Amino acid sequence: MKKNILLTAAALVTTLAGVAQWQPAGDRIRTQWGEKLDPQNVLPEYPRPQMVRGDWQNLNGLWDYAILPLGQTPDKFQGQILVPFAVESSLSGVGKSLGKDNELWYNHSFTVPAKWNGKRVLLHFGAVDWKADVWVNGVSVGSHTGGYTPFEFDITSALKKGANDIRVRVWDPTDDGYQPRGKQVNRPEGIWYTPVSGIWQTVWLEAVPQQYIKEVKTTPDLDRKSFRVEAPVCGAQPEDRIEVALFDGDTQVAKGSSLNGAAVELAVAEPKLWSPASPFLYDMKVSLVRNGKKIDEVESYTAMRKFSIGRDADDIVRLELNNEPVFQFGPLDQGWWPDGLYTAPSDEALAFDVIKTKDLGYNMIRKHVKVEPARWYYHCDKLGMIVWQDMPSGDRGPQWQMHNYFTGEEKHRSAESEANFRKEWKEIIDYLYSFPSIGVWVPFNECWGQFKTQEIVEWTKAYDPSRLVNPASGGNHYLTGDILDTHHYPNPRLTLLDTNRATVLGEYGGIGFVMKGHLWEPDRNWGYIRLNSPKEVTDEYEKYAEMLYKLIGRGFSAGVYTQTTDVEMEVNGLMTYDRKEMKVEPERIRKINQKLCNALSK
């Protein structure tokens, strides 16, 4: 007992000393949330809102780190890093680059609560970019590749009483590798941004029973007025039963059960529908029951909605929500932060962009070549924002022919690169599958890393037939998928029309406005055009919106304006990069946007 008290006291002294030393790296602009960040209380919210258990422990905070050449092992560490901020970020307290010839090492101590005795302990990582190897108390517990999806390891057998030690090794080549990386490059300029290496989402522990529910996968079917719920179990026994209950507030509206790993079907006679105007969510409880005894239970939620395409009275193919045509209109959302890079400084900050987008009258967000933490999609579900989800781009692309159907030669990836793309794309779809707000998968942006388009699109559609597939937003076009997507800057223009798929304008706008005091770099700023005041920007925005509105009757079924915020050297946001200033006149923008979103309403 005395030894444990001394260990705890020593750990507390070390933690307090680290907190006293931690400060953001560099002198670039910061958000209001970054400015008031408490290193002892970093992103404390439960990180997995679609599958909630009570027994968990957040491991975010100050960890030891070292950057060493490939193959070297640290005998001592170089300082402390604030997890979960990437090593290149200001809020990490480090602000150093990694590169393909080095590895980033982390070390952290933790104790397991006594009340977890008899349970299995899972170690979760929200996301680590790119390759992670993990040890607990010197025992290798697993490895993972892929910078955008969560993973976990059962570390029960590696644990000991008292203090336990986690060690993580990360390698991330950024654009020196083939892996999906989005807009990260080793030499940022123009539309290309700073690398993001290492842990960039919450790290946490979870206690589970010896047999437990591994995931909850929910598929709504509006036409059949039912939900399909799949809940695979780790260590399932033949007599184990999955029971699912669906709630509207405190009222149970449906229940069902299954054996042998079968899906549970829930029928709802008069389902309440989810939409941007009315984002209704059903609560759900999923239980593992054995011989009448509840072994495990998780809380979840779902929504009834349907994404499809259909012809209108003029025989134009439209995007539909709940069997009704809806003109989907929203910003290109990069999800970058000046102080946290990929990582929002707080959950309030993470929700802020979604709330602001909603306030500005949009009904959709295109999440651009990045995948967000689960809580971002939770905010979209709650607030009612349709999401188009890009696959982060990687490798190299072929010749670009955006304004005609492709006649060139496809890019041939290496077998290793192709296998990795397929693995990571499947993991992203699996991770995001049950979030109701996601309506469109976008495997490729422009021609960045585009390859085997028809095959990738057909696989995506078969793997998730509940959503639409936009093959290549502004990329090389093939007669596949549900959507034809062209880009045209700065003003909208209809350059190609498909009479059998929905035709959309996947990017336009990019109106630049430099606001001094809110710049990533004072002298290297970029936008498609450059204006000088919120009024000028809004006037130009309105001019483009009128052009787009007139093109809806000619065939456009959606539009995406570039972009939500400034990002690094890009100054074409609706807001500054630090989110401290609006660069447009909000009430005018809201009115303009609502006209577009309601363009197909009856």
Side-chain angles (χ1 to χ4, degrees):
M1 179 67 179
K2 184 176 180 181
K3 182 179 179 182
N4 284 342
I5 292 172
L6 289 173
L7 283 170
T8 302
L12 179 61
V13 168
T14 301
T15 299
L16 292 175
V19 169
Q21 293 173 6
W22 175 84
Q23 60 181 5
D27 58 1
R28 292 189 188 270
I29 55 173
R30 297 186 190 120
T31 64
Q32 59 173 311
W33 304 281
E35 289 169 347
K36 59 187 180 185
L37 181 67
D38 179 359
Q40 291 185 284
N41 191 36
V42 182
L43 294 166
E45 293 79 13
Y46 191 84
R48 192 183 57 196
Q50 281 207 322
M51 188 173 157
V52 178
R53 286 192 181 92
D55 289 335
W56 75 291
Q57 180 178 326
N58 195 320
L59 298 182
N60 292 343
L62 289 164
W63 293 31
D64 296 323
Y65 87 93
I67 297 173
L68 296 173
L70 285 170
Q72 293 190 18
T73 303
D75 51 14
K76 63 179 180 178
F77 288 87
Q78 298 165 356
Q80 291 194 310
I81 183 170
L82 189 60
V83 168
F85 298 103
V87 68
E88 296 91 348
S89 73
S90 171
L91 293 180
S92 71
V94 180
K96 296 179 181 178
S97 59
L98 185 61
K100 65 182 176 62
D101 298 322
N102 296 310
E103 292 169 325
L104 171 61
W105 290 83
Y106 296 84
N107 198 78
H108 187 64
S109 294
F110 67 94
T111 56
V112 175
K115 67 178 182 178
W116 289 7
N117 288 343
K119 295 188 174 184
R120 306 207 68 78
V121 178
L122 308 181
L123 172 61
H124 293 268
F125 293 84
V128 181
D129 198 350
W130 176 71
K131 182 179 188 296
D133 302 292
V134 183
W135 294 262
V136 174
N137 297 322
V139 178
S140 175
V141 296
S143 300
H144 181 264
T145 56
Y148 297 95
T149 50
F151 58 96
E152 78 277 342
F153 304 117
D154 186 331
I155 63 170
T156 311
S157 298
L159 295 173
K160 61 184 182 181
K161 291 183 178 179
N164 291 269
D165 180 79
I166 301 173
R167 186 163 289 200
V168 181
R169 178 179 64 196
V170 175
W171 178 69
D172 179 23
T174 310
D175 56 334
D176 285 321
Y178 55 71
Q179 80 289 348
R181 61 182 180 274
K183 287 197 168 187
Q184 304 174 54
V185 295
N186 287 307
R187 294 181 178 85
E189 62 176 348
I191 66 168
W192 306 101
Y193 316 144
T194 303
V196 173
S197 302
I199 297 168
W200 69 272
Q201 289 186 33
T202 291
V203 185
W204 55 295
L205 298 171
E206 180 181 32
V208 297
Q210 293 297 317
Q211 291 82 39
Y212 61 93
I213 297 164
K214 289 183 66 176
E215 65 174 302
V216 176
K217 180 180 178 181
T218 308
T219 307
D221 187 332
L222 175 59
D223 297 330
R224 295 181 61 191
K225 297 183 178 180
S226 68
F227 293 94
R228 176 184 172 90
V229 183
E230 299 167 77
V233 172
C234 183
Q237 303 298 311
E239 68 274 18
D240 288 350
R241 183 187 301 266
I242 289 292
E243 296 183 352
V244 181
L246 193 70
F247 295 88
D248 177 350
D250 295 328
T251 303
Q252 181 175 297
V253 295
K255 65 178 181 178
S257 62
S258 69
L259 293 168
N260 304 316
V264 176
E265 301 256 350
L266 301 174
V268 183
E270 297 295 334
K272 293 183 178 179
L273 305 185
W274 181 95
S275 70
S278 179
F280 179 80
L281 301 176
Y282 287 100
D283 292 322
M284 191 163 61
K285 289 185 179 179
V286 182
S287 305
L288 170 63
V289 178
R290 179 177 302 155
N291 298 323
K293 181 182 178 182
K294 195 175 291 183
I295 302 297
D296 188 23
E297 183 175 77
V298 297
E299 294 181 354
S300 186
Y301 69 89
T302 188
M304 181 59 75
R305 55 91 182 106
K306 176 185 175 182
F307 293 105
S308 58
I309 56 174
R311 294 187 182 275
D312 67 8
D314 297 317
D315 208 34
I316 297 173
V317 179
R318 298 298 189 187
L319 300 178
E320 294 184 339
L321 174 63
N322 302 331
N323 295 323
E324 296 290 339
V326 174
F327 188 82
Q328 297 184 21
F329 184 55
L332 193 73
D333 191 300
Q334 312 265 14
W336 283 72
W337 302 84
D339 37 18
L341 299 181
Y342 260 14
T343 311
S346 70
D347 192 65
E348 181 184 354
L350 190 67
F352 177 84
D353 285 0
V354 182
I355 293 169
K356 187 62 68 174
T357 302
K358 184 80 173 181
D359 289 345
L360 289 172
Y362 296 104
N363 62 10
M364 174 264 279
I365 293 171
R366 180 178 166 209
K367 178 52 63 177
H368 191 39
V369 293
K370 183 199 177 190
V371 179
E372 292 287 1
R375 291 192 63 86
W376 185 86
Y377 300 94
Y378 169 64
H379 294 309
C380 291
D381 292 342
K382 282 179 61 181
L383 291 163
M385 293 300 301
I386 299 168
V387 176
W388 294 14
Q389 179 61 57
D390 286 13
M391 170 64 171
S393 50
D395 210 318
R396 301 292 182 266
Q399 177 189 4
W400 190 17
Q401 300 178 2
M402 182 172 49
H403 299 301
N404 57 268
Y405 286 94
F406 191 62
T407 59
E409 184 177 349
E410 274 268 26
K411 165 71 177 177
H412 296 286
R413 291 194 180 208
S414 69
E416 187 178 23
S417 173
E418 178 175 343
N420 183 75
F421 177 96
R422 292 177 183 272
K423 166 193 171 291
E424 291 201 39
W425 185 221
K426 178 181 180 297
E427 288 180 352
I428 288 168
I429 294 173
D430 288 342
Y431 159 49
L432 299 177
Y433 183 89
S434 294
F435 289 102
S437 54
I438 298 175
V440 178
W441 298 121
V442 189
F444 301 107
N445 174 71
E446 295 184 343
C447 65
W448 305 349
Q450 190 174 352
F451 77 108
K452 292 188 177 179
T453 307
Q454 291 169 289
E455 190 176 324
I456 297 296
V457 169
E458 289 169 9
W459 177 89
T460 304
K461 189 67 178 178
Y463 192 64
D464 181 11
S466 72
R467 291 182 171 93
L468 302 176
V469 181
N470 180 351
S473 182
N476 292 329
H477 304 303
Y478 298 81
L479 293 171
T480 188
D482 302 295
I483 294 170
L484 171 67
D485 181 326
T486 59
H487 297 175
H488 193 273
Y489 284 101
N491 59 291
R493 187 178 172 192
L494 183 59
T495 57
L496 205 58
L497 178 68
D498 193 313
T499 58
N500 294 307
R501 296 180 295 166
T503 301
V504 308
L505 183 60
E507 291 181 29
Y508 81 97
I511 302 169
F513 170 30
V514 173
M515 291 193 77
K516 293 184 178 179
H518 303 277
L519 299 174
W520 178 256
E521 290 195 11
D523 301 319
R524 288 202 301 163
N525 295 299
W526 185 90
Y528 286 94
I529 63 170
R530 188 73 62 84
L531 298 175
N532 299 303
S533 72
K535 183 182 185 304
E536 287 185 12
V537 173
T538 306
D539 288 346
E540 194 75 1
Y541 184 99
E542 185 170 30
K543 183 175 78 174
Y544 294 167
E546 282 300 315
M547 293 178 185
L548 179 57
Y549 188 82
K550 291 174 182 177
L551 292 171
I552 295 172
R554 292 178 54 193
F556 273 144
S557 292
V560 178
Y561 177 81
T562 301
Q563 60 186 348
T564 307
T565 72
D566 293 350
V567 185
E568 299 204 354
M569 284 163 274
E570 290 190 50
V571 292
N572 47 14
L574 298 161
M575 293 181 281
T576 55
Y577 195 16
D578 57 15
R579 277 72 167 178
K580 291 180 178 178
E581 295 289 342
M582 293 298 300
K583 300 172 65 181
V584 294
E585 297 177 343
E587 286 306 314
R588 287 181 63 197
I589 294 292
R590 178 179 174 83
K591 185 176 179 181
I592 295 163
N593 291 345
Q594 288 179 329
K595 178 181 177 181
L596 285 165
C597 291
N598 293 325
L600 298 178
S601 300
K602 293 179 181 178

